[in-house]
Amino acid sequence: QSALTQPASVSESPGQSITISCTGTNSDVGGYNYVSWYQQHPGKAPKLIIYDVTKRPSGVSNRFSASKSGNTASLTISGLRAEDEADYYCSSYTISDTSNWVFGGGTKLTVL
Amino acid sequence: QITLKESGPTLVKPTQTLTLTCTFSGFSLTTTGVGVGWIRQSPGKALEWLGIIYWNGDNRYSTSLESRLTITMDTSKNQVVLTVTNVDPVDTATYFCARRPAPYYTLDYWGQGALVTVSS
């Protein structure tokens, strides 16, 4: 099972915007509109913040937005706040694994 | 209100079989399209997909682990059980269960996780 590729870490100042990438292949990210993003604070369970590439679940701030181009999906967080500091994971439907699911390696966001 | 909670041993010896139970409420695993998945996270590492069971009993397991994994369900008890055979210290992780809502390929509700240590 090959994980989707994410940058290990990103950092930005409060109030700014940041984009986290998630790169896969035509067998996952590029081939299907089933990319999700999860936020995980230390010691906590992941929280769904984006599904179906661009959709936000009820209750998730509109400061979180996402998109996809080719084999790369992106999560953008605008108006960064201290509470956004967390790990972010992408996931996608895939035909390259018998489970049909794959996660990214995760990105640590530091709000300076 | 949808909740999921993992339960099971906190310590398992190498070569033994690990059995974890996910007890859920607020939804039914008999609803078309719904699934319950298992994900684990080794200390300081990324999320790793393990497998999922769907409303119709269909299973999908991670290619790398499918020979050691079994996921079953008891709809009368609202429980999903994960079994991992022949565990090794590398299986030390926090194990999460999560709901797959129909008809989406996502996980919208997660359990709090259960830390399992494999050590002699």
Side-chain angles (χ1 to χ4, degrees), chain A residues 1 34 36 38 40 44-46 48 50-52 55 89 93 96-101 103-105, chain B residues 39 41 45-49 52 54 60-64 66 96 100 104-108 110-111:
Chain A
Q1 180 184 12
Y34 297 136
S36 295
Y38 303 89
Q40 186 182 34
K44 300 295 187 181
L48 177 66
I50 296 288
Y51 68 100
D52 284 1
K55 299 176 182 176
Y89 293 91
Y93 176 86
S96 296
D97 190 275
T98 49
S99 71
N100 293 137
W101 296 70
F103 280 105
Chain B
I39 306 93
Q41 186 172 36
K45 302 296 185 182
L47 300 174
E48 180 184 14
W49 180 263
I52 188 168
Y54 291 103
R60 292 286 186 268
Y61 300 112
S62 165
T63 300
S64 60
E66 64 178 327
F96 297 98
R100 182 258 188 171
Y104 305 101
Y105 277 95
T106 195
L107 301 167
D108 61 349
W110 292 63

Side-chain angles (χ1 to χ4, degrees), chain A residues 13 23 25 27 41 52 105:
Chain A
S13 302
T23 301
T25 69
S27 296
H41 288 107
D52 284 1

Side-chain angles (χ1 to χ4, degrees), chain A:
Chain A
Q1 180 184 12
S2 299
L4 306 175
T5 301
Q6 298 182 234
S9 63
V10 294
S11 60
E12 187 52 271
S13 302
Q16 300 302 305
S17 296
I18 192 102
T19 296
I20 299 171
S21 62
C22 169
T23 301
T25 69
N26 287 333
S27 296
D28 38 65
V29 173
Y32 306 91
N33 289 322
Y34 297 136
V35 177
S36 295
W37 289 91
Y38 303 89
Q39 176 192 62
Q40 186 182 34
H41 288 107
K44 300 295 187 181
K47 173 189 175 183
L48 177 66
I49 56 174
I50 296 288
Y51 68 100
D52 284 1
V53 179
T54 60
K55 299 176 182 176
R56 275 190 314 275
S58 174
V60 172
S61 172
N62 59 9
R63 297 187 299 107
F64 294 92
S65 62
S67 62
K68 188 184 82 167
S69 178
N71 294 336
T72 298
S74 299
L75 172 71
T76 298
I77 310 171
S78 59
L80 279 168
R81 301 175 179 175
E83 68 228 43
D84 298 329
E85 186 163 297
D87 293 324
Y88 291 84
Y89 293 91
C90 61
S91 76
S92 175
Y93 176 86
T94 179
I95 60 172
S96 296
D97 190 275
T98 49
S99 71
N100 293 137
W101 296 70
V102 63
F103 280 105
T107 298
K108 169 66 177 177
L109 168 62
T110 300
V111 180
L112 301 170

Side-chain angles (χ1 to χ4, degrees), chain A residues 101, chain B residues 29 33-35 52-58 60 73 100 105:
Chain A
W101 296 70
Chain B
L29 198 42
V34 173
I52 188 168
I53 189 163
Y54 291 103
W55 84 102
N56 57 0
D58 187 26
R60 292 286 186 268
M73 64 182 184
R100 182 258 188 171
Y105 277 95

